[in-house]
Amino acid sequence: MTDAKHITENIDAILEVAKRIKAGKGRYSRTLEQEQQARDAVKSLQREAHAATTAMVNDEDTSQHRDLADIQRDLLKAHNKVDKAIDKSHDDVSAMDNACETLLALMNEPAEKTDENDGASARFKESAAAA
């Protein structure tokens, strides 16, 4: 079987994997934006906590500041959002890497590894079954 024929016979599987890669890229971009927003929130809360702490240490009027315990709770939540966004971005990258490997395998697979019944690659069937 020629390379063109192999690709033609596996076009549906190739397109499906390409769609997974494109969707993963979109998820990854959104996750990076969420991570940046969470990091910005952390920095803002850290500045707020610093201002409140400085006012307490300098024996200044603290009525204009929120309670330090409330700021710390919000800061913990913001840190957790950063952590979740980082974990999610790692998962998105891993999923895209797996999809790229599958795509390369479909594109480069030799003729003797194809299924005689329908022409679909055996490796794609294995990876689809695992997913």
Side-chain angles (χ1 to χ4, degrees), residues 52-126:
T53 304
T54 302
M56 286 179 2
V57 169
N58 293 336
D59 217 15
E60 298 172 0
D61 181 25
T62 58
S63 63
Q64 298 176 5
H65 299 285
R66 288 195 307 151
D67 186 40
L68 191 56
D70 292 338
I71 297 170
Q72 289 173 332
R73 267 192 297 278
D74 292 344
L75 192 56
L76 179 63
K77 290 177 187 177
H79 275 293
N80 287 340
K81 284 184 181 180
V82 170
D83 290 343
K84 286 179 185 179
I86 290 170
D87 289 343
K88 189 175 177 188
S89 69
H90 287 295
D91 292 343
D92 292 340
V93 168
S94 177
M96 283 191 300
D97 284 346
N98 290 339
C100 286
E101 288 176 12
T102 302
L103 181 62
L104 289 173
L106 285 169
M107 298 292 291
N108 297 325
E109 190 165 293
E112 61 270 3
K113 287 197 173 189
T114 57
D115 189 341
E116 296 297 324
N117 297 332
D118 61 359
S121 85
R123 182 175 169 119
F124 178 73
K125 286 183 178 180
E126 291 171 3

Side-chain angles (χ1 to χ4, degrees), residues 6 9 11 15 18-19 23-24 26 40-41 43-44 52 66-67 79 91 107:
H6 170 73
E9 289 180 355
I11 194 71
L15 291 174
K19 287 179 188 177
D40 291 344
K43 287 179 185 177
S44 174
R66 288 195 307 151
D67 186 40
H79 275 293
D91 292 343
M107 298 292 291

Side-chain angles (χ1 to χ4, degrees), residues 16 48 113:
E16 184 62 35
E48 185 180 358
K113 287 197 173 189

Side-chain angles (χ1 to χ4, degrees), residues 27-46:
R27 278 191 311 273
Y28 180 70
S29 297
R30 287 187 300 277
T31 302
L32 288 180
E33 289 174 13
Q34 291 171 352
E35 180 183 344
Q36 188 57 48
Q37 290 171 353
R39 287 182 186 278
D40 291 344
V42 166
K43 287 179 185 177
S44 174
L45 287 165
Q46 286 173 335

